[in-house]
Every structure is written in C-alpha cells, then in structure tokens.
Amino acid sequence: MTTYYTSDLHFGHLNIIRFCDRPFPGVGAMDARLVQLWNETVTEDDTVWVLGDVALGTLGESLANIGRLHGHKILVPGNHDRCWEGDRALRKGEPEARERRRAREHERYLGAGFAEIHDRPEPVTVDGSAFDLSHFPYEGDSHGADRYVEYRLPDRGGWIVHGHVHDTWRQRGRQINVGVDAWGGRPVPATTVAALMADGPRDLEPLGWA
C-alpha cells in the first residue's frame, strides 16, 4: 500500500485549460486523461490525499469523476470546494443553517467517492520527515497577491505540502506543491515528497504533462 498526494484537479473546469496551459481540447478530454493518469499510478489498496480544488462546473457531472478513481481518497478542501469551511455560502445566515448547509456539502463529496474529509490542515510524518498538508502554501499564489491568508498556516520553519499555486512552482523552499499542473497530471508518492525534503529547501520548476 502506498500513500500519494495531489491537488487542483479542477474536473469540469473549462477555464483551467487556458489558465494553466493544459494540453487538452476540452473538458471531456481533460477529465478522461486525469482519471487515466490517476488509475495508472494508484491501486485500489493505496491512499490518496487530495489537497483541494477537486471539481468545478456542473458538480453533478464533475464530481462523478471521483468515483472512477482508484484508492482510499481523503479530501482536505480548497477554496473552490463547496464543502470548504471558507465558502461564502456556508458562512451566511444563522449558525444552525450554516451547519446544515455544511453537512449537506460534506455528504455530497462523501457520496461522490471520498472516504474522509479533513476540514483543517493535517500534520503527518513520512520516513521520519514531518510536514503539514494544506491546500494553501505558507505564501504565494497563482493570481498575484496572496489570497485567503486567514486560512493559511503560519510558517514556523517546517515543511508544508500543498496545492493552490498550480504551475507556479513544484517546490519553493520548504513548500512542495503537489498540484497536477506541477507533476504531469499524476499523484505524487509520499516517498517522493520525503526525498525532496531530505534534499533540503530549494526551488524546482513544474514537470510537463504526461
């Protein structure tokens, strides 16, 4: 059994093809290739942490791709996920109404194929390397100035594995971006992440799409 990390699949999102220069003529081809690359990499016995921004567009269609993916899938929501605690719709109204909406969104993502949803960043250890899992890096963004700073972990000198920045970098210092746009569309094995940490802080450019 192997553990993997990935982020920012953006199933069903037409604009991400142009924004990140993904090599696909449309959403259908992109979604099919993401599923293919995942299932070529991951077995049913593996675990994959998805660090946010799973699907956009018509969620009934785009979230259906989750059920086609191998493995035990765990979601740490990002800013484009309807179940994210910072989603504007989940912050409106009275506390009871907000909790009901949040529970419904959780059920929608769990029903689509996620086994677990972890609302807050997760501390983990792999091969003796300790780090945090979060959608957001300590600093940096794909749209200029840092957004959602209130949801980011403070940099206390440790490592963070994240998404959100798409093809801006694969590694920047102690920040490792596991988004599909930095890793050729494939999930990243935990052993690869641990090896990058063992090599120390540095800057790495994204890999090309497979």
Side-chain angles (χ1 to χ4, degrees):
M1 296 188 296
T2 302
T3 297
Y4 293 88
Y5 307 111
T6 192
S7 185
D8 299 280
L9 292 107
H10 281 244
F11 283 122
H13 187 198
L14 180 62
N15 285 340
I16 200 68
I17 297 174
R18 173 181 53 82
F19 178 70
C20 289
D21 197 25
R22 292 187 179 184
F24 305 106
V27 164
M30 177 183 72
D31 290 358
R33 183 60 173 156
L34 284 168
V35 171
Q36 180 185 17
L37 291 170
W38 178 301
N39 288 341
E40 287 177 356
T41 306
V42 178
T43 74
E44 290 291 4
D45 294 326
D46 296 333
T47 295
V48 186
W49 288 82
V50 181
L51 305 184
D53 288 8
V54 175
L56 283 86
T58 304
L59 279 188
E61 298 175 2
S62 52
L63 275 180
N65 288 291
I66 302 305
R68 304 183 180 109
L69 303 173
H70 292 167
H72 180 91
K73 299 172 286 284
I74 304 173
L75 176 63
V76 177
N79 56 287
H80 283 299
D81 297 314
R82 299 278 181 87
C83 60
W84 178 50
E85 64 177 347
D87 186 89
R88 283 179 293 181
L90 298 186
R91 290 183 290 157
K92 293 179 180 178
E94 296 298 320
E96 294 83 0
R98 293 200 302 267
E99 285 304 311
R100 285 195 300 271
R101 282 195 296 269
R102 186 169 178 175
R104 285 197 300 269
E105 293 300 339
H106 270 234
E107 287 304 314
R108 186 200 301 214
Y109 282 76
L110 291 169
F114 283 104
E116 305 172 41
I117 298 174
H118 294 231
D119 288 316
R120 297 299 174 88
E122 285 285 324
V124 298
T125 301
V126 176
D127 292 346
S129 298
F131 52 95
D132 286 300
L133 300 175
S134 177
H135 177 66
F136 302 104
Y138 295 134
E139 60 181 7
D141 207 289
S142 58
H143 284 75
D146 288 0
R147 298 167 295 161
Y148 312 110
V149 292
E150 66 272 31
Y151 296 100
R152 298 181 186 230
L153 291 171
D155 183 355
R156 295 193 172 95
W159 289 82
I160 191 166
V161 174
H162 63 88
H164 188 64
V165 298
H166 293 280
D167 56 357
T168 308
W169 70 75
R170 184 161 42 114
Q171 181 177 343
R172 178 172 290 179
R174 290 174 284 99
Q175 304 180 130
I176 298 174
N177 169 31
V178 293
V180 294
D181 295 292
W183 289 90
R186 296 182 186 273
V188 186
T191 51
T192 298
V193 170
L196 290 175
M197 294 178 186
D199 287 339
R202 55 180 171 163
D203 292 350
L204 293 176
E205 294 296 316
L207 300 176
W209 276 81

